[in-house]
Each structure stands twice: as C-alpha cells, then as structure tokens.
Amino acid sequence: MLYRVIDAAELPVLVQAFMESYEVVAPVKRDGVHVFDIIEDPAEIDVNYTMTIISPKKYFLPSKETLLEFDVACNEVTDYTVEITPRVIFGAHACDINAINRLDLVFKDGPYPDPYYVARRNATLIVGISCTPNENCFCHLWNSDEARFGYDLFLQNIGDKYLVSISSVEAANILEAACNPQVATDEDRIAFRSATRQRQESFNREIPDIQEVAMLMDAFHKDPFWEELGGRCLGCTACSATCPTCYCFDIYDVLDPDGKTGKRERAWDSCTAPQFALVAGGHNFRENSRGRVRHRMYHKLNGFLANHNHMLCVGCGRCVVSCKANINPIEVLKFFKEKGAENAE
C-alpha cells in the first residue's frame, strides 16, 4: 500500500480532476439530510457527514433494472444492454466500502458472477474518506470501521491535511496530476494515530460488545425474544431498503400492451415482506413477523458468516434510524447481554 499526504485545500481540485473523465457521485446535503448523488460542482460535496440515508449500493445494484427483452411471437430473447457510465464514488465511509466488498462476494467473486453488477463495479473507482461515528454506529464491533481493501483512494483527515492510502494505478495517476502529494512525515503519522484513537473513542459504549454472536444466534434460536421483537415489525421493509448489504431481489416479466413483447426486470425485495417466502400453492414458509425478523437477523449475524467468513451487517446504523419499531442488531446485542447477565447470577 502506498501512502501520500495532500493539503485539505486540494480536495476540490482532486474532485474536479475526476469529473473530467468520470461521473462523480458524492455525499451532498438535500433537505436537511445527506444522500449520495451525482454532482456538477465540487462545492456541492459535504465530506463532514456522519451518515447518508441510502448507501452507494444503488449504483452497483439498482433498485430496479431490465435484464432482457423478449418477443413471444418470434420466440426471441435479447439481452438488454445499457451503457455503463465510468463513475467515481467519492467520500464513501469505511462501513460502506466494506458493504460493497460483501456484495462483491455474492455478485462478483462467487461461482456465478452477475454480469450487470460486474460491469458497473469494474467501471467504478471508489474514494473513501474517514468519519466520526454517531451514537448509532457500531461498525467497530464487526471490524468494519476500517477499510483494508476495496477502494482506489482512502482519505484520512489529519487536520488541515489528508493522509491518502493509494491502491490503484488509475487513481494514483489522477491524484499525482491534480494535487501535490507528499511523502508522509513523522508528524503526519502522529496525527494519523491521534485521529484513529479519537474515532475509536467516539463510539457509543452503551452498545454491548458481544463475542461469539453467531454461536449465540444458534443457542437462542427458539427464545421468546424473537416473538417480542418480531411482533413489533410493521412489514414496511425500510430496514432492507436502507441497508448497504441487503441483496435479495425479485424477478418478474412485464408484458407490453400488445401482449407479444415485453421485458424481464429485477427489483429489490425484502425478507421482512409478508409475501417474500410465499410459494405456489399458497404456502408461506415464514408466515409471521417473528419468523421473518429472526431470519433476517440470522442471515446478517450467522448465515452469511458461515459461507463467506464475514458478518453481513457492517454496523452502519441505518436500520437503527429507519426502523420505527426499533428492530435492529443493537437490540439483539442487548438481548445477548441480558442473557449473559442472567446466566452469571
């Protein structure tokens, strides 16, 4: 890994350099909240945000996309092609970069790579930036508070400078041409360690740090806790809509008015939706909210780990904010803490 230092004042110049060859998506403030959006001017970017409503996931896995077109009369199927725009995701936090790495395990690095996802992923550069956690962040519990790979540049704020971690030649060339990167000094390294300690000390200590979460999910799989937690669920699917790692989708055909041609589409789906596990014949494998909520948490905290050696949850805290019924992994951690206290008595 190569490290360089740039002045904070050079950030707009770096963004402008990316904009010459790429569509730049970055955090901007809209109606009092932060979102990732396409920018037209570097001045639109707010790098001091704590959380965006939605993660950058939608730029790799759109909420709705066409997969193919078909002609029933001619019995023909045509792969749907869309122009892939070279893009830079600028200002992603470590948790969101780790979330993209989790999606890569499913859609890019698995036995059956998804060509639509891979095309967008390969056409995208990622520039990460450091952050200060808020009271809902728990990324440090899942080792997602640092991005060790999955980015092209990562900018760590060290006062009036950024320590830049460089991991791709393409991004390095743009950085070199646009800015005046310097070799990190001992003073810069001290500032980096200080910023790292400050971030670590900013996490909400009231969120329990529970070990062996995956094992506990198995041990308490039938506990009445899930009845209480699931009973709160409204089935609104806000949790999965805002989650940076949820990847369930539905595929359906849409006929044109003539009834002879149409297209096959893919759209985001949610395992907390009442109809998600409904199959032909009317049987629903998870017919109540208890089963749906438990299934979602189990996949996040156990099932994905078993297959990919990583928690699917990255602790970004979006579900904590979006769920009006207070259903989130923090509640599960609190439950495990209470169980531990009971067993200790």
Side-chain angles (χ1 to χ4, degrees), residues 302-310:
N302 183 307
F304 194 85
L305 177 69
N307 291 324
H308 299 288
N309 203 33
H310 292 283

Short mmCIF file of all heavy atoms in Angstrom, two decimals, residues 302-310:
data_model
loop_
_atom_site.label_atom_id
_atom_site.label_comp_id
_atom_site.label_asym_id
_atom_site.label_seq_id
_atom_site.Cartn_x
_atom_site.Cartn_y
_atom_site.Cartn_z
N ASN A 302 -25.16 -14.66 11.23
CA ASN A 302 -24.70 -16.04 11.30
C ASN A 302 -24.56 -16.68 9.92
O ASN A 302 -23.48 -17.13 9.54
CB ASN A 302 -25.67 -16.88 12.16
CG ASN A 302 -25.22 -18.32 12.34
OD1 ASN A 302 -24.96 -19.02 11.38
ND2 ASN A 302 -25.15 -18.77 13.59
N GLY A 303 -25.64 -16.72 9.16
CA GLY A 303 -25.64 -17.47 7.90
C GLY A 303 -24.60 -17.00 6.90
O GLY A 303 -23.89 -17.82 6.31
N PHE A 304 -24.51 -15.69 6.70
CA PHE A 304 -23.53 -15.18 5.73
C PHE A 304 -22.12 -15.43 6.22
O PHE A 304 -21.22 -15.74 5.43
CB PHE A 304 -23.76 -13.68 5.52
CG PHE A 304 -23.05 -13.10 4.34
CD1 PHE A 304 -23.61 -13.16 3.07
CD2 PHE A 304 -21.81 -12.50 4.48
CE1 PHE A 304 -22.96 -12.63 1.97
CE2 PHE A 304 -21.14 -11.96 3.38
CZ PHE A 304 -21.72 -12.02 2.12
N LEU A 305 -21.92 -15.32 7.51
CA LEU A 305 -20.60 -15.57 8.11
C LEU A 305 -20.15 -16.99 7.83
O LEU A 305 -18.98 -17.24 7.51
CB LEU A 305 -20.67 -15.31 9.61
CG LEU A 305 -19.40 -15.60 10.42
CD1 LEU A 305 -18.31 -14.61 10.07
CD2 LEU A 305 -19.71 -15.55 11.92
N ALA A 306 -21.06 -17.93 7.94
CA ALA A 306 -20.71 -19.34 7.73
C ALA A 306 -20.24 -19.59 6.30
O ALA A 306 -19.36 -20.43 6.07
CB ALA A 306 -21.92 -20.22 8.04
N ASN A 307 -20.80 -18.86 5.34
CA ASN A 307 -20.46 -19.08 3.94
C ASN A 307 -19.31 -18.21 3.44
O ASN A 307 -18.59 -18.59 2.52
CB ASN A 307 -21.69 -18.83 3.06
CG ASN A 307 -22.76 -19.87 3.26
OD1 ASN A 307 -22.47 -21.04 3.46
ND2 ASN A 307 -24.03 -19.46 3.21
N HIS A 308 -19.16 -17.02 4.03
CA HIS A 308 -18.20 -16.06 3.47
C HIS A 308 -17.20 -15.51 4.48
O HIS A 308 -16.40 -14.62 4.15
CB HIS A 308 -18.96 -14.88 2.85
CG HIS A 308 -19.86 -15.27 1.72
ND1 HIS A 308 -19.40 -15.65 0.48
CD2 HIS A 308 -21.23 -15.37 1.65
CE1 HIS A 308 -20.42 -15.94 -0.31
NE2 HIS A 308 -21.53 -15.78 0.37
N ASN A 309 -17.25 -16.01 5.72
CA ASN A 309 -16.27 -15.63 6.74
C ASN A 309 -16.36 -14.15 7.14
O ASN A 309 -15.40 -13.58 7.64
CB ASN A 309 -14.85 -15.96 6.28
CG ASN A 309 -13.88 -16.12 7.44
OD1 ASN A 309 -14.28 -16.58 8.52
ND2 ASN A 309 -12.64 -15.73 7.25
N HIS A 310 -17.50 -13.54 6.89
CA HIS A 310 -17.72 -12.15 7.29
C HIS A 310 -19.18 -12.00 7.73
O HIS A 310 -20.07 -12.62 7.17
CB HIS A 310 -17.48 -11.17 6.13
CG HIS A 310 -16.06 -11.07 5.70
ND1 HIS A 310 -15.11 -10.35 6.40
CD2 HIS A 310 -15.41 -11.59 4.63
CE1 HIS A 310 -13.95 -10.43 5.78
NE2 HIS A 310 -14.09 -11.18 4.71
#
